Amino acid sequence: MYTPAAADVAKLRSTTGAGMMDCKKALVEAEGDFDKAIEILRKKGQKVAANRADRESSEGAVIAKVNEDCTMGSIIALNCETDFVAKNSDFVLLANELAEQAVFYANKEEFLASDFHGQTVAEKLIEQTGVIGEKVEIGAFERIEGPFLGAYIHAGNKIAAITALSGKVDGGEEVAKSVSMQVAAMNPIALDETKVSQETIDRELEIERDILTKEGKPANIIDNILKGKMQKFYKDNTLVHQAFIKDGGMSVADYVKSANSDLKVVGFVRVSLT
Protein backbone atom coordinates (compact mmCIF):
# COMPACT_ATOMS: atom_id res chain seq x y z
CA MET A 1 0.00 0.00 0.00
CA TYR A 2 1.22 3.49 -0.86
CA THR A 3 2.57 5.41 2.14
CA PRO A 4 2.77 9.19 1.63
CA ALA A 5 5.85 11.08 2.72
CA ALA A 6 5.42 13.42 5.67
CA ALA A 7 6.35 16.37 3.44
CA ASP A 8 3.53 15.51 1.02
CA VAL A 9 1.02 15.29 3.87
CA ALA A 10 2.20 18.64 5.18
CA LYS A 11 1.95 20.19 1.72
CA LEU A 12 -1.62 18.93 1.26
CA ARG A 13 -2.56 20.19 4.69
CA SER A 14 -1.08 23.61 3.90
CA THR A 15 -2.97 23.74 0.60
CA THR A 16 -6.37 22.60 1.87
CA GLY A 17 -6.38 23.34 5.58
CA ALA A 18 -7.57 19.79 6.27
CA GLY A 19 -6.34 17.79 9.25
CA MET A 20 -3.15 15.73 9.06
CA MET A 21 -4.91 12.35 9.22
CA ASP A 22 -7.49 13.41 6.62
CA CYS A 23 -4.68 14.50 4.30
CA LYS A 24 -2.79 11.26 4.82
CA LYS A 25 -5.87 9.15 4.11
CA ALA A 26 -6.67 11.21 0.99
CA LEU A 27 -3.14 10.74 -0.37
CA VAL A 28 -3.29 7.01 0.32
CA GLU A 29 -6.64 6.76 -1.47
CA ALA A 30 -5.30 8.84 -4.37
CA GLU A 31 -2.10 6.75 -4.47
CA GLY A 32 0.01 9.88 -4.25
CA ASP A 33 -1.84 11.92 -6.88
CA PHE A 34 -1.90 15.37 -5.28
CA ASP A 35 -4.76 16.81 -7.38
CA LYS A 36 -6.85 13.69 -6.87
CA ALA A 37 -6.25 13.91 -3.12
CA ILE A 38 -7.58 17.47 -3.14
CA GLU A 39 -10.68 16.26 -4.98
CA ILE A 40 -11.17 13.51 -2.39
CA LEU A 41 -11.03 16.10 0.40
CA ARG A 42 -13.48 18.33 -1.48
CA LYS A 43 -15.88 15.41 -1.88
CA LYS A 44 -15.61 14.79 1.83
CA GLY A 45 -16.46 18.43 2.33
CA GLN A 46 -19.49 18.15 0.06
CA LYS A 47 -20.72 15.18 2.05
CA VAL A 48 -20.28 17.02 5.34
CA ALA A 49 -21.95 20.11 3.91
CA ALA A 50 -24.97 18.05 2.86
CA ASN A 51 -25.22 16.50 6.32
CA ARG A 52 -25.11 19.93 7.98
CA ALA A 53 -27.36 21.76 5.52
CA ASP A 54 -30.11 22.17 8.12
CA ARG A 55 -27.80 23.47 10.86
CA GLU A 56 -28.01 27.06 12.08
CA SER A 57 -24.99 29.17 11.03
CA SER A 58 -25.66 32.25 13.13
CA GLU A 59 -22.07 32.93 14.20
CA GLY A 60 -19.24 34.15 11.98
CA ALA A 61 -17.16 37.12 10.93
CA VAL A 62 -18.47 40.29 9.28
CA ILE A 63 -15.79 42.00 7.20
CA ALA A 64 -15.89 45.27 5.22
CA LYS A 65 -13.41 46.11 2.46
CA VAL A 66 -12.94 48.93 -0.03
CA ASN A 67 -10.74 49.01 -3.13
CA GLU A 68 -7.52 51.02 -3.40
CA ASP A 69 -9.09 54.20 -4.75
CA CYS A 70 -11.96 53.99 -2.22
CA THR A 71 -14.74 53.98 -4.83
CA MET A 72 -16.05 50.40 -4.46
CA GLY A 73 -16.71 48.46 -1.30
CA SER A 74 -18.42 45.38 0.05
CA ILE A 75 -19.36 43.73 3.31
CA ILE A 76 -19.75 39.99 3.69
CA ALA A 77 -20.72 37.78 6.60
CA LEU A 78 -18.83 34.48 6.57
CA ASN A 79 -21.13 32.42 8.74
CA CYS A 80 -20.41 29.33 10.83
CA GLU A 81 -22.14 27.49 13.67
CA THR A 82 -20.09 28.38 16.76
CA ASP A 83 -18.34 31.42 18.19
CA PHE A 84 -15.27 29.23 18.77
CA VAL A 85 -14.80 28.81 15.00
CA ALA A 86 -15.74 32.46 14.31
CA LYS A 87 -12.82 33.62 16.47
CA ASN A 88 -10.30 31.23 14.90
CA SER A 89 -7.52 33.19 13.19
CA ASP A 90 -7.61 31.06 10.03
CA PHE A 91 -11.37 31.55 9.74
CA VAL A 92 -11.03 35.33 10.13
CA LEU A 93 -8.19 35.35 7.59
CA LEU A 94 -10.39 33.50 5.09
CA ALA A 95 -13.22 35.98 5.73
CA ASN A 96 -10.86 38.87 4.98
CA GLU A 97 -9.60 37.26 1.77
CA LEU A 98 -13.15 36.61 0.59
CA ALA A 99 -14.24 40.15 1.45
CA GLU A 100 -11.37 41.60 -0.60
CA GLN A 101 -12.55 39.58 -3.58
CA ALA A 102 -16.23 40.42 -3.05
CA VAL A 103 -15.53 44.12 -3.75
CA PHE A 104 -15.34 43.40 -7.47
CA TYR A 105 -18.64 41.51 -7.87
CA ALA A 106 -22.07 43.07 -8.25
CA ASN A 107 -24.01 40.49 -6.25
CA LYS A 108 -23.71 37.40 -4.09
CA GLU A 109 -24.39 34.99 -6.95
CA GLU A 110 -21.56 36.37 -9.11
CA PHE A 111 -19.24 36.34 -6.10
CA LEU A 112 -19.99 32.71 -5.22
CA ALA A 113 -19.30 31.68 -8.82
CA SER A 114 -16.00 33.59 -9.02
CA ASP A 115 -12.58 31.91 -9.00
CA PHE A 116 -10.83 31.65 -5.64
CA HIS A 117 -7.38 30.07 -5.94
CA GLY A 118 -8.43 27.55 -8.58
CA GLN A 119 -11.94 26.79 -7.34
CA THR A 120 -15.12 28.77 -7.01
CA VAL A 121 -15.96 30.58 -3.80
CA ALA A 122 -18.92 28.22 -3.39
CA GLU A 123 -16.60 25.21 -3.68
CA LYS A 124 -14.21 26.75 -1.15
CA LEU A 125 -17.05 27.08 1.34
CA ILE A 126 -17.98 23.42 0.85
CA GLU A 127 -14.34 22.45 1.31
CA GLN A 128 -14.14 24.45 4.54
CA THR A 129 -17.30 22.81 5.82
CA GLY A 130 -15.48 19.51 5.50
CA VAL A 131 -12.27 20.85 7.04
CA ILE A 132 -13.91 22.59 10.00
CA GLY A 133 -16.83 20.23 10.55
CA GLU A 134 -19.33 23.10 10.72
CA LYS A 135 -21.65 24.61 8.14
CA VAL A 136 -19.78 27.49 6.48
CA GLU A 137 -21.58 29.87 4.13
CA ILE A 138 -21.82 33.44 2.96
CA GLY A 139 -24.72 34.99 4.82
CA ALA A 140 -25.08 38.68 4.08
CA PHE A 141 -23.54 40.33 1.02
CA GLU A 142 -23.69 44.10 0.55
CA ARG A 143 -21.94 46.20 -2.05
CA ILE A 144 -21.67 49.96 -2.53
CA GLU A 145 -20.03 52.41 -4.92
CA GLY A 146 -19.42 56.11 -4.47
CA PRO A 147 -17.02 59.02 -4.94
CA PHE A 148 -15.22 58.18 -1.68
CA LEU A 149 -15.81 55.28 0.69
CA GLY A 150 -14.68 54.52 4.22
CA ALA A 151 -15.29 51.42 6.33
CA TYR A 152 -15.54 50.44 9.97
CA ILE A 153 -15.54 46.96 11.53
CA HIS A 154 -16.62 46.76 15.15
CA ALA A 155 -14.39 44.81 17.54
CA GLY A 156 -15.18 41.11 17.35
CA ASN A 157 -16.17 41.21 13.67
CA LYS A 158 -19.91 41.11 14.42
CA ILE A 159 -20.91 44.41 12.78
CA ALA A 160 -19.45 46.35 9.87
CA ALA A 161 -20.44 49.40 7.85
CA ILE A 162 -19.29 51.37 4.82
CA THR A 163 -20.15 55.01 4.15
CA ALA A 164 -20.06 56.83 0.81
CA LEU A 165 -19.17 60.51 0.79
CA SER A 166 -19.86 62.93 -2.06
CA GLY A 167 -16.17 63.51 -2.77
CA LYS A 168 -12.59 63.05 -1.71
CA VAL A 169 -11.39 65.78 0.65
CA ASP A 170 -8.61 66.29 3.17
CA GLY A 171 -9.54 64.28 6.25
CA GLY A 172 -12.16 62.36 4.30
CA GLU A 173 -10.85 59.00 5.45
CA GLU A 174 -11.47 59.86 9.11
CA VAL A 175 -14.88 61.36 8.32
CA ALA A 176 -16.02 58.28 6.41
CA LYS A 177 -14.77 55.97 9.15
CA SER A 178 -16.49 58.01 11.87
CA VAL A 179 -19.79 58.04 10.00
CA SER A 180 -19.44 54.31 9.38
CA MET A 181 -18.98 53.91 13.14
CA GLN A 182 -22.24 55.84 13.56
CA VAL A 183 -23.98 53.51 11.13
CA ALA A 184 -22.67 50.45 12.96
CA ALA A 185 -23.74 51.75 16.37
CA MET A 186 -27.06 53.44 15.59
CA ASN A 187 -28.37 51.31 12.70
CA PRO A 188 -30.24 54.05 10.80
CA ILE A 189 -33.10 52.87 8.62
CA ALA A 190 -32.28 55.24 5.74
CA LEU A 191 -29.97 58.04 4.63
CA ASP A 192 -32.59 60.78 5.09
CA GLU A 193 -36.38 61.23 5.09
CA THR A 194 -36.57 60.94 1.29
CA LYS A 195 -35.18 57.42 1.45
CA VAL A 196 -37.62 56.10 4.07
CA SER A 197 -40.10 53.70 2.49
CA GLN A 198 -43.73 54.74 2.27
CA GLU A 199 -44.64 51.54 4.07
CA THR A 200 -42.54 52.59 7.06
CA ILE A 201 -43.99 56.11 7.06
CA ASP A 202 -47.55 54.79 6.89
CA ARG A 203 -46.91 52.37 9.74
CA GLU A 204 -45.44 55.10 11.99
CA LEU A 205 -48.30 57.46 11.20
CA GLU A 206 -50.84 54.77 12.00
CA ILE A 207 -49.19 53.94 15.33
CA GLU A 208 -48.86 57.57 16.40
CA ARG A 209 -52.41 58.46 15.25
CA ASP A 210 -53.80 55.55 17.27
CA ILE A 211 -51.88 56.69 20.38
CA LEU A 212 -53.05 60.30 20.02
CA THR A 213 -56.65 59.21 19.47
CA LYS A 214 -56.60 57.04 22.60
CA GLU A 215 -55.14 59.99 24.51
CA GLY A 216 -58.22 61.97 23.51
CA LYS A 217 -56.49 64.53 21.32
CA PRO A 218 -58.96 66.47 19.12
CA ALA A 219 -59.08 65.23 15.55
CA ASN A 220 -58.45 68.73 14.15
CA ILE A 221 -55.01 68.99 15.79
CA ILE A 222 -53.81 65.40 15.38
CA ASP A 223 -52.40 66.06 11.88
CA ASN A 224 -50.25 68.93 13.17
CA ILE A 225 -48.98 66.81 16.06
CA LEU A 226 -48.17 64.01 13.63
CA LYS A 227 -45.92 66.32 11.61
CA GLY A 228 -43.83 66.96 14.69
CA LYS A 229 -43.81 63.26 15.58
CA MET A 230 -42.50 62.36 12.13
CA GLN A 231 -39.79 65.00 12.29
CA LYS A 232 -38.57 63.40 15.51
CA PHE A 233 -38.79 59.96 13.90
CA TYR A 234 -36.58 61.11 11.02
CA LYS A 235 -34.13 62.73 13.47
CA ASP A 236 -33.81 59.51 15.45
CA ASN A 237 -33.76 57.04 12.58
CA THR A 238 -32.19 58.58 9.46
CA LEU A 239 -28.43 58.84 9.27
CA VAL A 240 -27.81 62.46 8.34
CA HIS A 241 -30.29 63.77 10.95
CA GLN A 242 -29.11 61.59 13.84
CA ALA A 243 -27.10 63.17 16.66
CA PHE A 244 -23.44 62.44 15.98
CA ILE A 245 -22.24 59.81 18.49
CA LYS A 246 -18.89 61.57 19.06
CA ASP A 247 -20.54 64.96 19.66
CA GLY A 248 -24.25 64.96 20.47
CA GLY A 249 -24.39 68.71 19.91
CA MET A 250 -24.32 68.27 16.14
CA SER A 251 -26.02 66.07 13.59
CA VAL A 252 -24.13 63.68 11.32
CA ALA A 253 -24.73 66.10 8.43
CA ASP A 254 -23.25 68.94 10.48
CA TYR A 255 -20.21 66.85 11.39
CA VAL A 256 -19.56 66.01 7.74
CA LYS A 257 -19.90 69.67 6.73
CA SER A 258 -17.44 70.66 9.46
CA ALA A 259 -14.76 68.83 7.47
CA ASN A 260 -15.77 70.45 4.19
CA SER A 261 -18.77 72.70 3.56
CA ASP A 262 -19.61 70.92 0.32
CA LEU A 263 -19.25 67.39 1.68
CA LYS A 264 -22.30 65.14 2.07
CA VAL A 265 -23.09 61.54 2.92
CA VAL A 266 -24.55 59.91 -0.19
CA GLY A 267 -24.97 56.30 0.90
CA PHE A 268 -24.18 53.54 3.37
CA VAL A 269 -24.44 49.79 3.91
CA ARG A 270 -24.40 47.83 7.15
CA VAL A 271 -24.23 44.15 8.10
CA SER A 272 -24.69 42.67 11.54
CA LEU A 273 -24.83 39.10 12.80
CA THR A 274 -27.48 40.05 15.35
Side-chain angles (χ1 to χ4, degrees):
M1 184 177 73
Y2 168 76
T3 302
D8 291 335
V9 175
K11 180 182 177 184
L12 183 59
R13 185 186 186 196
S14 176
T15 300
T16 65
M20 290 290 284
M21 288 306 298
D22 288 332
C23 290
K24 183 176 180 179
K25 289 176 182 177
L27 282 167
V28 169
E29 185 177 341
E31 297 182 337
D33 186 317
F34 198 79
D35 290 335
K36 186 176 180 181
I38 292 175
E39 283 301 311
I40 290 168
L41 288 171
R42 285 188 191 168
K43 287 176 181 177
K44 179 194 172 188
Q46 290 170 345
K47 183 179 180 181
V48 173
N51 290 339
R52 304 188 76 85
D54 60 345
R55 296 296 295 269
E56 185 77 15
S57 57
S58 57
E59 295 292 341
V62 178
I63 306 295
K65 295 287 183 180
V66 299
N67 66 340
E68 287 188 8
D69 64 3
C70 298
T71 57
M72 298 190 299
S74 70
I75 309 175
I76 66 163
L78 182 62
N79 288 23
C80 57
E81 295 176 30
T82 65
D83 190 50
F84 177 78
V85 168
K87 291 178 178 177
N88 179 273
S89 59
D90 288 338
F91 184 86
V92 175
L93 178 62
L94 175 62
N96 274 272
E97 286 187 60
L98 290 170
E100 286 178 356
Q101 180 159 322
V103 169
F104 302 100
Y105 294 90
N107 54 57
K108 182 176 174 178
E109 290 69 29
E110 287 185 9
F111 170 57
L112 289 172
S114 66
D115 178 77
F116 187 77
H117 304 306
Q119 58 186 309
T120 67
V121 170
E123 288 171 340
K124 181 65 177 180
L125 299 177
I126 292 171
E127 176 190 278
Q128 288 301 297
T129 295
V131 170
I132 296 170
E134 288 192 9
K135 183 178 181 180
V136 178
E137 63 180 352
I138 298 296
F141 177 101
E142 294 288 346
R143 190 172 184 278
I144 185 171
E145 295 187 17
F148 186 81
L149 306 180
Y152 170 75
I153 304 172
H154 191 61
N157 301 320
K158 303 300 184 185
I159 307 172
I162 300 176
T163 296
L165 301 178
S166 58
K168 184 175 182 179
V169 300
D170 289 341
E173 184 176 348
E174 180 61 30
V175 172
K177 181 180 179 180
S178 293
V179 177
S180 294
M181 189 181 298
Q182 172 95 20
V183 172
M186 302 305 293
N187 193 18
I189 63 172
L191 180 65
D192 58 28
E193 62 272 29
T194 68
K195 302 298 183 182
V196 179
S197 71
Q198 190 60 49
E199 179 183 359
T200 298
I201 293 171
D202 291 343
R203 183 177 65 248
E204 287 301 314
L205 286 170
E206 181 182 350
I207 291 170
E208 293 295 343
R209 186 181 296 277
D210 186 57
I211 292 171
L212 292 170
T213 300
K214 288 178 179 177
E215 289 177 350
K217 294 291 190 295
N220 63 332
I221 68 168
I222 283 180
D223 285 343
N224 285 333
I225 296 175
L226 285 175
K227 290 178 183 178
K229 293 279 188 180
M230 290 308 297
Q231 287 303 311
K232 185 176 188 307
F233 176 79
Y234 296 138
K235 183 176 184 295
D236 292 340
N237 294 283
T238 62
L239 177 59
V240 299
H241 297 305
Q242 285 180 335
F244 183 44
I245 56 173
K246 291 185 176 182
D247 182 353
M250 65 172 70
S251 68
V252 171
D254 291 336
Y255 162 68
V256 172
K257 283 185 178 296
S258 72
N260 184 289
S261 60
D262 295 323
L263 195 62
K264 296 179 181 179
V265 181
V266 294
F268 70 89
V269 288
R270 178 185 187 273
V271 169
S272 171
L273 285 180
T274 57

